[in-house]
Amino acid sequence: MSEKRDYYEVIGVAKGATQEEIKKAFKKKARLLHPDVKESGDEQAFKELAEAYEVLSDPQKRASYDRYGHEGVKGAARSFDDFDFSNFSGFGIDELIEALFGGGMRGGFGGFGRQAGPPQGAHQRYDLELDFLEAVFGCEKKIEVNRLDDCTTCLGTGAAPGSTVSTCQTCGGMGQVKELVNMLFVQTYQISVCPHCRGNGKKIDKPCRDCRGDGLTRKRKSYDLKVPAGIADGSRMRVAGFGDKGQHGGAFGDLYVQIHVKPHKEMVRDGVTIHVKQPVSFSMAALGGEVLVPTVEGSKILKIPAGIQSGAQLVMRDQGVPYLNVPNKRGDQIVHIAITTPTKLSKEEKEIYKRLAELSGEQLTIDTEDLENDGDENKGADSKAESKKKAHHQNGKKKTDNDDDKDDSSLLDKIVDAFRPKTSE
Ligand SMILES: [Zn+2]
Ligand SMILES: [Zn+2]
C-alpha cells in the first residue's frame, strides 16, 4: 500500500479546523464517495475518509495525531479495510455514518471517545422476504423478534427475590473502572467494565435464577413494519430501539431489516425501471398492431408500430417503480421487442412466405456462378452487414459513440435474459 495521506488533507480541512467544520466537511465528502453512489462512489476512498474521520473526530486521537502524525494513532485508528460495505447497500449516508460511528456521530466507535454509561444492547438482524409487487408498491409486514429485555422475575435487577444487594466495592457502584494505559507515545485513561460486578455496580448475594443475574431474558416482540414503495432488493431498514436491551440499564440496540425481493416471472427491475421482453410475430412486426404487455399494474395494451425491428425498445412512461420516498414519481417500463421466427410452417404458410420473398425480389439461395464472377471481394459468407461491422470496428476508436449505443442495448438484453426464468423450455 502507498504512503498514508494526511488526515486533514483527506477530509479537506485546515489543521486548525473546529470539530464542527470537520464533521461538515466529512459528511459532504462521504455523501460523494458513498460506495452506493453510481457516478462518484469510491469504496477505497470512502474507507480512507472514514479512517481519517475516526481519528480527527475524537479529540484525544486528534491531539495525538497532531503531535506525532500517523505513528501517534497507530493501533488506535480503526482501519476500515475489512469493512464490508455491501452489507450497507441501500443505506442513506446518515444511516451509514451512524452505523460506522455510532449514534449522533459523537465520538469514535468505542474506545477512548466513548461516553461513560452502560453500553447499548446489540443490534439485531431480521431477514424479510417480499414479493416483487410488494416491493414495488410498499406493504405492511408484521415482524417478530426474539430480543433481550428486562427479566420478568427480577425486573432487570439480576437479584433473586429476597436477596441482599449491596454496592460493588471495586467500582463504587459505577460499573466501570478507569485504567491508565500506555499507548505508543501517550498515556491515557481507558474506561472498562468493572470485572467484579460485570458492569452492574452492585454486589448481588443471590443472583436471579431465570436470568443468571444478567437481568435480561429473551422475549418475543412483534412490530408492524411499513415497507415503503420502491424499496430495492438488498437494502436495509432500521427500526430504532428494536434490538437487544443493553445490560445494566443500557439502551436497546436497533433492529436492521434486510430486504430480499423475490424475482418476477416476467418483469426485471433495475432501480425504478422495469424491463419486459415482448415477443412479436413477423406479421405484427411488419404490419403493426397491439399486444397485451404485463406491467406492475396488470396487463396493458401497447401499440406496436409497423416495421418494428427485433431488439427495439418501446417505453411505457411512468409504468415503472415509484421512487423511494417520492411515491408520486415513477420510473418507466421498457419493453424489449423480440421478433419470433416461426419454426413449424404449414404447407400453406410456406407458400405464402415464398410468395413474400418473390414479391420483395429476395433470392433465397446464392447462384454459384454469380459468386465466381464477383471475385475475391465478397468472399465467403460475409453479408453486407457483417463486412460493414468489421470496417466499423477497425476505426472503432473514433466512433465510440455508436459503439456505446450498441453496448447499452445489448447490456439491457443481457439483463433481461439473465434474470428471466427459462420460459422457452
Ligand atoms: Zn432475572
Ligand atoms: Zn463493580
Side-chain angles (χ1 to χ4, degrees), residues 150-162:
D150 280 337
C151 169
T152 321
T153 313
C154 63
L155 302 173
T157 62

Side-chain angles (χ1 to χ4, degrees), residues 18-92:
T18 63
Q19 287 298 322
E20 202 48 42
E21 283 166 346
I22 290 174
K23 184 169 154 181
K24 235 181 179 175
F26 164 72
K27 264 200 158 180
K28 201 170 151 195
K29 265 208 168 166
R31 200 162 277 133
L32 278 176
L33 296 174
H34 189 320
D36 270 7
V37 178
K38 264 192 191 130
E39 311 82 51
S40 58
D42 183 337
E43 187 170 327
Q44 224 32 56
F46 189 91
K47 284 176 176 173
E48 189 188 22
L49 181 72
E51 185 184 313
Y53 181 71
E54 162 80 4
V55 170
L56 297 189
S57 64
D58 182 307
Q60 260 170 310
K61 285 184 205 168
R62 186 182 174 189
S64 182
Y65 176 74
D66 283 348
R67 258 199 240 164
Y68 308 106
H70 289 290
E71 277 295 297
V73 287
K74 216 175 183 179
R78 194 158 57 117
S79 164
F80 291 85
D81 280 349
D82 299 330
F83 196 84
D84 186 2
F85 282 93
S86 62
N87 284 336
F88 289 87
S89 96
F91 268 41

